[in-house]
């Protein structure tokens, strides 16, 4: 059973607010990822990390930023939320030598 | 919000029938492939994987076939059940890129009673 947690599950917030989506894993995985997914649509990689102090942008451009100060924690921040940021954000982690990723339940963000 | 990507195709299947879900990939350098199942309101869950040097792998009620000649991957689900209703994604893993996981387009499977 994978142990990766995202909070909050649902968030409705006004335009211009700063938000941080939390993601934590207890498996000691080096690699962590953030994906963006609209309902019924594909998954798009927006950020990933190979370990502490490592962050890279993914295939889809995003105005969000991430940090990796601790192995188990990979938060995603939007400095000023806009309605175009409305989407589901999925966090995942994997062992360094394996590609199989374990996913959290996701955060469904709505910006009004 | 602005939509990202393409709408997913849908496969309707009668309960008890076999399902075949297809995936085309572009990167022939992928070292192995993974199938994920995503139920409504949840994150994707690992189903089965297959190494690029294999043609077929079987799991519990699932079989994955890999045709490297035409860069095609399929997932077969035997005796489809209502609990199999979900979106299914294939993903390629490239070791040379640090085991980067790249998802392909998914397929929504609807099981009819």
């Amino acid at each position: 059973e994978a142990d990766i947690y995202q909070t909050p599950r649902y968030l409705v917030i006004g335009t211009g607010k700063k938000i941080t989506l939390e993601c934590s894993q207890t498996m000691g995985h080096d690699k962590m990822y953030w994906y963006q997914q609209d309902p019924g649509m594909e998954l798009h990689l927006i950020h990933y990390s190979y370990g502490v102090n490592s962050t890279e942008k993914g295939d889809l451009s995003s105005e969000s930023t991430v940090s990796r100060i601790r192995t188990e924690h990979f938060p995603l921040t939007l400095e000023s939320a806009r309605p175009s940021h409305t989407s589901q954000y999925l966090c995942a982690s994997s062992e360094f030598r394996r590609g199989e990723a374990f996913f959290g339940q996701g955060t469904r963000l709505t910006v009004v | 919000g602005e939509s990202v990507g393409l709408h997913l195709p849908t496969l309707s299947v009668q309960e008890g029938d076999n399902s075949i879900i297809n995936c085309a990939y572009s990167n022939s350098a992928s070292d192995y492939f993974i199938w994920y199942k995503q139920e409504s309101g949840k994150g994707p869950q690992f189903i089965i994987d297959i190494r690029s040097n294999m043609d077929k792998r079987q799991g519990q009620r699932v079989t994955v076939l890999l045709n490297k000649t035409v860069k095609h991957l399929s997932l077969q689900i035997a005796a489809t059940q209502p609990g199999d209703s979900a979106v299914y994604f294939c993903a390629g893993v490239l070791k040379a890129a640090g085991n980067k996981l790249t998802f392909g387009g998914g397929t929504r499977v609807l099981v009819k009673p």
Side-chain angles (χ1 to χ4, degrees), chain B residues 41-110:
Chain B
K42 297 183 179 180
Q45 287 183 297
F46 172 89
I47 301 173
I48 190 169
D49 61 3
I50 184 169
R51 295 197 175 278
S52 59
N53 60 357
M54 300 170 66
D55 298 320
K56 180 179 180 179
R57 189 168 186 212
Q58 287 185 295
Q60 186 178 13
R61 276 202 311 120
V62 295
T63 300
V64 57
L65 299 178
L66 176 61
N67 186 331
K68 293 180 284 293
T69 303
V70 295
K71 297 182 184 178
H72 182 267
L73 194 66
S74 70
L75 178 72
Q76 301 178 7
I77 304 174
T80 310
Q81 302 169 0
D84 295 325
S85 290
V87 176
Y88 291 81
F89 291 96
C90 67
V93 180
L94 187 61
K95 286 184 178 179
N99 281 334
K100 184 180 176 183
L101 191 66
T102 302
F103 280 87
T107 299
R108 181 180 304 280
V109 172
L110 295 175

Side-chain angles (χ1 to χ4, degrees), chain A residues 72-89:
Chain A
E72 61 271 21
H73 197 214
F74 191 40
L76 180 145
T77 298
L78 275 166
E79 290 292 333
S80 180
R82 296 206 302 267
S84 62
H85 295 139
T86 295
S87 190
Q88 173 163 253
Y89 294 84

Side-chain angles (χ1 to χ4, degrees), chain A residues 33-34 45-48 56-58 62 64-66 74 76:
Chain A
Y33 316 82
W34 277 102
L45 181 67
I46 51 175
H47 298 284
Y48 61 101
E56 303 285 345
K57 289 193 178 295
S62 173
S64 59
T65 59
V66 292
F74 191 40
L76 180 145

